[in-house]
Amino acid sequence: MELKLNTNEYLPLRDVVFQALRQAIISGEFAPGERLMEIGLANKLGVSRTPVREAIRMLELEGLVVMIPRKGAEVAKITEADLKDALEVRLALEELSVELACERITEEQKEKLKEACVAFKEAILTKHVPSIVEGDVIFHDIIFEATENKKLIAIAQNLREQVYRYRVEYVKDFSYHDVLVNEHYEITNAILTRDKEKAKEIMRKHLYNQELIVIKNIKEQL
Amino acid sequence: MELKLNTNEYLPLRDVVFQALRQAIISGEFAPGERLMEIGLANKLGVSRTPVREAIRMLELEGLVVMIPRKGAEVAKITEADLKDALEVRLALEELSVELACERITEEQKEKLKEACVAFKEAILTKHVPSIVEGDVIFHDIIFEATENKKLIAIAQNLREQVYRYRVEYVKDFSYHDVLVNEHYEITNAILTRDKEKAKEIMRKHLYNQELIVIKNIKEQL
DNA sequence: ATCGGTATTATTGTATTAAAAATCAACCCC
DNA sequence: GGGGTTGATTTTTAATACAATAATACCGAT
């Protein structure tokens, strides 16, 4: 008998719409500044305006769209200042993360971290940008998971979303690739030996370099 | 001629509802775990269900309510683990804040900080708990403002909201009042002289004490 | 030709209605 | 009396209808 049936692989429509729109924004399908009109989106997605509106409310609070009263929603255009702000906070949170990870990482997570390190090195060798980004994300996510702090994980993921579109740029700068791999290994070793200060120091350097590149690229995009 | 006229002291109903509900939750008017039913809220506030629904979507993303699909919304009940998580992140962000404030604080903000210090001392003397809380919030807000980092300010305020209900408890413990006042003065002095390390150190101590008290009180509330 | 104003249209904001699902209680059958 | 089933009620979910507002196009006058 397999009639336990589908409770609950059920998702409210608003969440489906929310995820679809978020993905579209993050992936650049919707350009920054582009207007998001309810009827159009509703038709495109085959739903009514109500779930679209609710999804937009959520995106608004996530900072991915901005609302202009009686005008509508548009995709948030991130300014250089916004990006600097986000990166500044992110740096602090990643530092906190490695510190907590040093204290709390489990044996299982240690293994995953080592594997992620290797996977990232291999992704770099392929020079395939999406794979590299993916590998980097996984590596950092394992560290976040190791903190056992749900709030921290949620905030960090939100921050990452905000800058995701621009983050890709730094990966394209191949000259830094070896440095990145090395830093990942150094961070991993520091965490495995639970050396907090070392881990924080390398993480700071690791992210600071990236920030410089991202910000440089943003300036050029203006 | 003052005919620049009133665009825009206009707020969509959803935002009015959002703020009303948020205030009600934070102030404890709605207890944790209490169900929030659309019709009831709509009637109470004199609006239709649509803006209520949109407001609930926003509260959901803020973490003040949790949705149970096809069941409805209820006020988030914060667990001890949630609180610890939030306080942990908050500590890191307040540390970042004093550090940035040391770098960026303006002369005008310096004056406001000094005033807030004095005001807090006077609030303590009154032994009037809401005033003390208010004074403390203002003090920390000035530091956040001085960072010039909008993202940081937004995240910090959200975090504060989450724990606000429980934060009051530590203020009721009168034995710590003198310590609190002193720490505010020390933090202020460190910022005024732009002594980053000192400022961070005191802030860490300042918040760590509070955390212990808050967590202790939470445990008793179970 | 351009400025000003009015009318039209497109789009958001709000309310209402209809449908699906969950809860709860009464009821029947065993 | 107990367990399960059915049915009514409540509540969410989604769609649609209506109202208000802002943008735009058009027209006339100067």
Side-chain angles (χ1 to χ4, degrees):
Chain A
M1 274 221 301
E2 29 53 315
L3 259 292
K4 49 163 38 141
L5 206 50
N6 51 13
T7 13
N8 33 11
E9 65 239 21
Y10 159 81
L11 257 191
L13 270 187
R14 57 168 175 269
D15 291 322
V16 177
V17 174
F18 174 62
Q19 288 174 13
L21 293 181
R22 176 160 67 171
Q23 191 53 41
I25 292 172
I26 291 173
S27 71
E29 191 176 332
F30 292 140
E34 184 172 344
R35 265 187 91 179
L36 295 178
M37 280 177 304
E38 297 169 3
I39 302 175
L41 296 174
N43 292 341
K44 188 170 174 181
L45 296 167
V47 300
S48 82
R49 276 177 58 209
T50 305
V52 172
R53 285 178 64 81
E54 297 187 291
I56 288 176
R57 291 293 89 74
M58 298 194 267
L59 291 166
E60 182 188 359
L61 231 73
E62 278 220 326
L64 288 176
V65 314
V66 296
M67 285 300 301
I68 301 164
R70 297 222 135 86
K71 178 84 184 300
E74 60 182 42
V75 179
K77 32 189 157 187
I78 205 165
T79 66
E80 194 189 323
D82 293 332
L83 193 66
K84 276 186 178 163
D85 286 355
L87 290 172
E88 204 161 67
V89 178
R90 173 171 167 252
L91 179 53
L93 294 183
E94 293 252 13
E95 271 191 63
L96 173 62
S97 291
V98 282
E99 184 172 351
L100 295 177
C102 284
E103 294 175 9
R104 301 173 188 171
I105 193 167
T106 65
E107 290 306 316
E108 192 186 352
Q109 286 166 334
K110 282 183 178 180
E111 290 309 312
K112 284 168 72 179
L113 194 60
K114 282 188 267 187
E115 288 166 21
C117 239
V118 175
F120 182 67
K121 187 176 72 180
E122 285 167 2
I124 288 276
L125 291 176
T126 67
K127 295 199 186 306
H128 179 241
V129 171
S131 300
I132 297 173
V133 171
E134 174 77 0
D136 187 53
V137 168
I138 289 173
F139 177 77
H140 285 270
D141 270 351
I142 292 171
I143 296 174
F144 278 121
E145 293 293 335
T147 66
E148 302 265 316
N149 185 323
K150 294 209 187 77
K151 195 84 202 163
L152 175 57
I153 293 170
I155 295 174
Q157 274 179 351
N158 177 258
L159 274 176
R160 181 157 67 209
E161 261 166 31
Q162 311 271 333
V163 300
Y164 198 87
R165 288 173 274 176
Y166 306 92
R167 245 177 108 262
V168 177
E169 297 304 323
Y170 89 86
V171 174
K172 290 182 184 157
D173 196 330
F174 292 108
S175 60
Y176 281 92
H177 281 179
D178 291 340
V179 178
L180 293 178
V181 172
N182 276 337
E183 286 171 342
H184 276 206
Y185 272 96
E186 286 187 83
I187 291 170
T188 300
N189 284 332
I191 292 176
L192 293 181
T193 59
R194 303 193 188 276
D195 185 342
K196 281 198 222 178
E197 288 312 315
K198 180 99 176 287
K200 279 168 73 173
E201 183 195 324
I202 303 166
M203 180 63 87
R204 199 176 310 132
K205 193 178 65 178
H206 181 57
L207 294 177
Y208 189 69
N209 286 335
Q210 293 183 19
E211 287 185 18
L212 292 182
I213 300 172
V214 171
I215 288 174
K216 194 188 74 182
N217 277 297
I218 289 301
K219 275 188 176 147
E220 289 167 4
Q221 273 192 32
L222 289 183
Chain B
M1 269 221 306
E2 28 54 313
L3 259 292
K4 50 165 36 140
L5 206 52
N6 52 11
T7 12
N8 30 12
E9 67 236 21
Y10 161 82
L11 257 191
L13 272 186
R14 58 169 176 270
D15 290 320
V16 177
V17 174
F18 173 62
Q19 288 173 13
L21 292 181
R22 177 159 67 172
Q23 190 53 40
I25 292 172
I26 291 172
S27 70
E29 191 176 334
F30 293 139
E34 186 172 342
R35 267 188 92 180
L36 295 178
M37 281 177 303
E38 296 170 5
I39 303 176
L41 296 175
N43 292 341
K44 188 170 173 181
L45 296 168
V47 300
S48 84
R49 284 174 42 216
T50 306
V52 172
R53 284 177 65 80
E54 297 188 35
I56 288 177
R57 290 293 90 73
M58 298 194 269
L59 292 166
E60 183 188 358
L61 232 73
E62 280 223 323
L64 287 177
V65 313
V66 296
M67 285 300 301
I68 301 163
R70 299 223 136 87
K71 176 84 184 300
E74 61 182 44
V75 179
K77 33 189 155 187
I78 204 167
T79 66
E80 193 189 323
D82 293 332
L83 193 66
K84 274 187 179 163
D85 287 355
L87 290 172
E88 204 162 66
V89 178
R90 174 171 165 251
L91 178 53
L93 294 183
E94 293 253 15
E95 270 191 64
L96 173 62
S97 292
V98 283
E99 184 172 352
L100 295 177
C102 283
E103 293 175 10
R104 301 174 188 171
I105 193 166
T106 66
E107 291 305 315
E108 192 185 351
Q109 286 166 334
K110 282 183 179 178
E111 290 308 313
K112 283 168 73 177
L113 194 60
K114 283 189 268 186
E115 288 165 21
C117 239
V118 174
F120 182 67
K121 186 175 75 180
E122 285 167 2
I124 287 277
L125 291 176
T126 68
K127 295 198 187 306
H128 179 239
V129 171
S131 300
I132 296 173
V133 171
E134 173 76 1
D136 187 53
V137 168
I138 289 173
F139 177 78
H140 285 271
D141 270 351
I142 293 170
I143 296 174
F144 279 119
E145 293 294 336
T147 66
E148 301 267 314
N149 184 323
K150 293 209 187 78
K151 195 84 202 163
L152 175 56
I153 293 170
I155 295 174
Q157 273 179 352
N158 177 257
L159 274 177
R160 181 158 65 208
E161 261 167 28
Q162 312 269 333
V163 300
Y164 197 88
R165 286 174 275 176
Y166 305 93
R167 246 176 107 263
V168 178
E169 297 304 324
Y170 89 86
V171 175
K172 291 184 184 156
D173 197 330
F174 292 108
S175 59
Y176 282 91
H177 282 178
D178 290 341
V179 178
L180 293 178
V181 172
N182 275 338
E183 285 170 342
H184 276 207
Y185 272 97
E186 286 186 84
I187 291 168
T188 301
N189 283 333
I191 292 175
L192 293 180
T193 59
R194 302 192 189 277
D195 184 342
K196 281 196 222 179
E197 289 311 315
K198 181 101 174 286
K200 279 167 73 172
E201 183 195 324
I202 303 165
M203 180 63 88
R204 197 176 312 130
K205 194 178 66 179
H206 181 57
L207 294 176
Y208 189 70
N209 286 335
Q210 293 182 19
E211 287 186 17
L212 291 182
I213 300 172
V214 172
I215 289 173
K216 194 187 74 184
N217 277 296
I218 289 301
K219 276 188 175 147
E220 290 167 4
Q221 273 190 32
L222 290 182

